[in-house]
Amino acid sequence: MSEITPDLVRHLGVLSRIQLSDDEIERLTGQLDVIVDNIAKVSQVATPDVPATSHPIPLENVYRADEVGATLTLAQALQNAPDAADGRFRVTAILGEEQ
Amino acid sequence: MTDLTRLSAADLAAELSSGTVSSVEATRAHLDRIAAVDGDVHAFLHVSDHALEVAAGIDRRRSAGDALGPLAGVPLAIKDVLVTTDMPSTSGSRILEGYMSPFDATVVSRARAAGLVPLGKTNMDEFAMGSSTEHSAYGPTHNPWDLERIPGGSGGGSASAVAAFEAPLALGSDTGGSIRQPAHVTGTVGVKPTYGGVSRYGAIALASSLDQVGPVSRTVLDAGLLHDVIGGHDANDSTSLADAWPSFADAAREGARGDVLRGLRVGVIRELPDSGFQPGVSTAFRAALAAMEARGAEIVEISAPHFEYGVAAYYLILPAEASSNLAKFDSVRFGMRVNVPGGTVEDVMAATRDAGFGDEVKRRIILGTYALSAGYYDAYYGSAQKVRTLIQRDFAAAFERVDVIATPSAPTTAFKLGEKIDDPLQMYLNDVTTIPANLAGVPGISIPAGLAEEDGLPVGIQFLAPAREDARLYRVGAAVESVLVDSWGGPLLDRAPVLGGAR
Amino acid sequence: MAKDAIMDFDKALELFEPVLGFEVHVELNTATKMFSAAPNSFGREPNTDLAPVDLGLPGSLPVVNGEAVRYSISLGLALGCSIAPSSRFARKNYFYPDLGKNYQISQYDEPIAFEGEVEVELEDGTVIRVPIERAHMEEDAGKLTHVGGATGRIQGAEYSLVDYNRAGVPLVEIVTKPIFGAEHRAPELGAAYVRTIRDIVLSLGISDARMERGNLRCDANVSLRPRGQEKLGTRTETKNVNSMRSVQRAVRYEIQRQAAILAAGGTITQETRHWHEDTGTTSPGRPKSDADDYRYFPEPDLLPVVPGADLIAELRAALPEPPAARRRRLKEEWGFTDLEFRDVANGGLIAEVEATVAAGASPAAARKWWTGELTRIANAQNREAVDLVSPADVAALQLLVDSGTLTDKLARQVLEGMVAGEGSPQEIVDARGLAVVSDDGPLIAAIDDALAAQPDVLQKIREGKVQAAGAVIGAVMKAMRGQADAARVRELVLERAAE
Ligand SMILES: [Mg+2]
Ligand SMILES: [Zn+2]
């Protein structure tokens, strides 16, 4: 048994900004429990002496020259916006705190 | 007149360049075929309304004497994971319904520049999460071999389009087998290039360190021709390799003609015993190996002890990266928005993502969020990355002894639509043989190996080569293809049932 | 909002030892953004300087700006840091509408620079060594405008508008270790530290460092511990304190506020706080919570940054001298007294004076403009002198004085025009018609008039009492409304009187 609980799933829903219903939380809790039990075995072989692989084909120092390239037009930038005003994207009140 | 949709891309290209067939004729034939059968197959989410104009442009350039590429005028289906400026790009998701990209994916612009004619966008599991195309928000694609069955996934649309003769070529993307497993269940050819061999720019990201775009076709040569068009370095993708690649079409031609099988050392993985596969899959796989052996190949048993951790590592890395890649779908800059009266922007985002994402996507985002969250990172994501190292070492050790590794491309033939939809874990195990290539970055190809005796459905054989040795796969794949097609007396797809009431 | 109790500052320092920490974000002045080829600009029309990745468009990918990496290494070296032989980018995941991707590409466990030290000189010449923990590369976010509601603030706003032009602008975040020992000079140290960082990035030429534009932004961490206690107290992080004066005030306020709470037996909440320029107070932001689970992981779209010893050596060799050595050198070169130099240094004006001298003004004149007239105007307008005008324009102004085109008095009028944004000194001179009259014709006419009006003075001059000429000169200058060179007037008066 893993430690997947409905409360944890609800919290993960908040972190990932998905409004999960109670039904979804219940279903996901059961499914994730089974999945996590099966994937947790990676830690069996992941001993400290094994380095992690982030990129399958190692490369380094891939840079772009500091030269201005093509940009989007304002119309292109806004063309898929659900809502816009004054050339800007419009969103509902934030009521949080700025980062 | 011959049915232009039955021609391979190479043969069609030959007709086009000799002038016996125009691109407009070829394109119209495929649009007609789509109109006739796609109601049943549902390979396409969108069919271009200007493909004929594009084709006419190619014809004009040809008659004007312009130098055109080898595939100029040949129609192409494009997986909806690739963004296009002239057609919507949804990645199979409701949240991106109607999304119009201001730029083309690099592979799409290269295909356009080479004169290929985009026919439309093909169906897929939502955000490429799945092995059956049942997770598309726009309904499943059906397998042309049996419309009750899955076409594989996530690129079931591209594979079915090619298998149903709706397009000679298609573009796919392969994160854990999404090109090769659909090829397996539809009797077609699919290649996952070396990671970095083909640009990811414009491919809507699923798992950035695993995703790779590749060709989907009916023959190995056709795949090589398309790979030649789309491959090579792209400065817009930092992970793109700057290697000078050989012509993969040339490699395929060489394989089909020469006897590259003589002395070829073919590794078979001890830890993937036949018992793990549907009997008909194992039998077809063994028969293909025997045919190779008869042409002088040497079958060598190799050990890949960490492959058994591959699925687990994959289902940690993929959801983790996907949970981050899919965060951008928040209703602010593009995509769907669900308004929440009196709600904050946080409420709007959460409601939109609840309504806009399907169950499988939500499941993986939640799983990936869990895998990355404080306190779990080392045990899960960190460990999974170490498993990648171990799998790479398994590959390195194996490729000291063999030239290519062979596996069945998937454990079973096409299963029934709906059969595994409620059992995610079972669904995940579909990718057991394809996943290691993505984790290690090595190239893989799936070609038809035969039909399973118990259900008469296609089985694919997968070959894997060391990173950057994609050409070897084209040589070996084309050689095996020619041996098998000879033994069958014609392409496997000739035995697929006739669709659309033989119209 | 209830007003927080505060304790007298000296009393607070008797009871508690302040421990400081700073996070300074420096916007680099590269031509393009950190991860896209869109221009790194300021003040342009909203959402017009964007590449696909700045909006997080589906399919877009980041590519690192190599120049930003070089700038970051230079900054790391100038901060006395070690440069990581290999560092990498990571994704910091959190949802906020000003983030195009809902993650910020930053650096996490492998920053490009770490373990440095900066010498910060206070007003009285005391040097405090500020230990640097790390400096890492990251990207800026877009800008939100809150609409509706009473205040234009986020609270009570009806909706918000997002401009992503700033999204992806390259940043280096410099994080200090806890700073001990500043004691009653802790507030001053805050301002002096930011000034020092500003001097460094200006001398490197890697940032415009204009705080009012947000090129340099400071978060100030303050905690108190009772005298004699080893364990650090709980800290607060006051966000976005965006001028040197404000850093000083904010640190002082937090010390006084926290001291009052602790002395009353209360506890400090670990939280971010907002600085209010108008009231000189801070107020709570959101408390630290498990929602701050940023789920960092290595950015799979980008590759490791592996600078190599050659590159590091090249950039090290190109470093400007350290600020302390530079101060000593400049003081000598300029021939300033201790007091004169401290005036310049404490005003954060060394770079300005240097640039003004480089543009052709004498050190004395450059110092006079910056610490005199410009500082006066800045104080009156509650701005920073450095934000008012450019050193090049100050030098141009002084050259007009030196060439006799302007008198000191006229030059001050031109300066006002410069501060008001009317253009370059020459443009203002032309537009306002302020130049000294250098044609002798009108001067002679005015002199003859003045001499005729004051025959007694003429008589005295003719008798050799040259100092009597002052009265005539004053009258002529008045008649010319100041637009005459007094020395020339004097010459001409003596000439005309002799005829
Ligand atoms: Mg910070
Ligand atoms: Zn930061």
Side-chain angles (χ1 to χ4, degrees), chain C residues 91-109:
Chain C
R91 291 189 187 174
K92 180 181 184 179
N93 293 285
Y94 65 95
F95 284 82
Y96 210 71
D98 61 4
L99 278 182
K101 307 179 289 295
N102 284 318
Y103 56 82
Q104 179 194 32
I105 305 179
S106 181
Q107 295 193 297
Y108 179 53
D109 52 352

Side-chain angles (χ1 to χ4, degrees), chain B residues 115-497:
Chain B
L116 285 136
V117 179
L119 286 175
K121 305 297 287 288
T122 59
N123 199 10
M124 55 185 287
D125 285 298
E126 184 177 4
F127 289 112
M129 295 184 191
S131 309
S132 66
T133 314
E134 292 168 290
H135 299 300
S136 168
Y138 304 99
T141 295
H142 302 261
N143 190 323
W145 288 81
D146 177 349
L147 295 173
E148 302 293 298
R149 290 178 187 266
I150 59 111
S154 64
S158 281
S160 278
V162 168
F165 300 97
E166 296 174 271
L169 293 172
L171 290 170
S173 68
D174 188 313
T175 304
S178 289
I179 289 175
R180 292 161 290 158
Q181 182 259 7
H184 163 95
V185 295
T186 58
T188 56
V189 173
V191 176
K192 183 207 90 79
T194 295
Y195 184 83
V198 177
S199 171
R200 293 185 294 116
Y201 188 68
I204 298 174
L206 169 53
S208 312
S209 74
L210 302 166
D211 295 346
Q212 199 50 204
V213 176
V216 174
S217 62
R218 291 189 293 265
T219 72
V220 175
L221 173 59
D222 286 1
L225 286 163
L226 184 53
H227 195 160
D228 284 345
V229 168
I230 61 173
H233 183 250
D234 176 16
N236 285 321
D237 173 2
S238 305
T239 61
S240 169
L241 297 173
D243 299 42
W245 299 93
S247 162
F248 302 116
D250 286 352
R253 289 191 189 99
E254 188 190 325
R257 140 181 106 228
D259 59 350
V260 297
L261 296 180
R262 187 153 311 279
L264 184 79
R265 297 169 302 165
V266 180
V268 175
I269 301 168
R270 181 185 307 139
E271 289 83 4
L272 290 177
D274 286 353
S275 59
F277 298 87
Q278 181 184 322
V281 169
S282 279
T283 308
F285 173 62
R286 293 288 161 191
L289 290 179
M292 292 176 76
E293 221 171 355
R295 293 296 194 288
E298 184 193 344
I299 309 300
V300 180
E301 188 173 87
I302 54 160
S303 175
H306 298 98
F307 279 26
E308 69 164 297
Y309 298 93
V311 172
Y314 178 80
Y315 280 98
L316 286 164
I317 293 169
L318 179 144
E321 294 184 9
S323 71
S324 177
N325 282 332
L326 269 55
K328 59 171 66 87
F329 302 105
D330 65 355
S331 81
V332 175
R333 294 159 303 282
F334 43 78
M336 176 177 155
R337 175 179 292 183
V338 173
N339 283 307
V340 179
T344 62
V345 70
E346 183 173 338
D347 299 329
V348 172
M349 286 181 183
T352 300
R353 289 162 62 81
D354 180 44
F357 289 145
D359 285 346
E360 180 63 18
V361 172
K362 288 190 232 179
R363 190 152 48 229
R364 294 201 197 182
I365 290 176
I366 297 292
L367 177 59
T369 303
Y370 170 68
L372 288 177
S373 60
Y376 302 107
Y377 179 91
D378 288 340
Y380 291 143
Y381 191 78
S383 294
Q385 297 237 359
K386 292 183 171 193
V387 170
R388 291 184 87 151
T389 308
L390 296 170
I391 287 176
Q392 283 192 328
R393 289 177 182 173
D394 283 358
F395 271 118
F399 286 128
E400 294 207 338
R401 300 183 52 216
V402 299
D403 302 306
V404 292
I405 294 170
T407 75
S409 301
T412 70
T413 56
F415 47 88
K416 289 246 164 65
L417 286 162
E419 192 180 319
K420 298 186 181 179
I421 192 98
D422 294 323
D423 191 348
L425 194 67
Q426 240 356 83
M427 193 77 100
Y428 295 173
L429 292 174
N430 259 300
D431 304 329
V432 63
T433 61
T434 46
I435 278 172
N438 300 83
L439 290 172
V442 307
I445 188 172
S446 177
I447 67 167
L451 300 179
E453 48 212 358
E454 62 269 41
D455 54 20
L457 291 168
V459 172
I461 181 168
Q462 172 183 235
F463 296 105
L464 303 170
R468 300 182 152 95
E469 293 296 333
D470 306 47
R472 190 183 301 177
L473 294 181
Y474 284 99
R475 271 195 297 275
V476 172
V480 175
E481 176 185 59
S482 86
V483 169
L484 293 177
V485 170
D486 280 354
S487 74
W488 300 327
L492 201 62
L493 274 170
D494 285 355
R495 300 196 228 167

Side-chain angles (χ1 to χ4, degrees), chain B residues 27 48 50-51 54 74-78 86-87 108 112 116-120:
Chain B
T27 302
S48 171
H50 53 277
V54 174
V74 175
L76 173 73
I78 299 171
D86 57 343
M87 295 181 278
V108 171
R112 292 195 209 275
L116 285 136
V117 179
L119 286 175

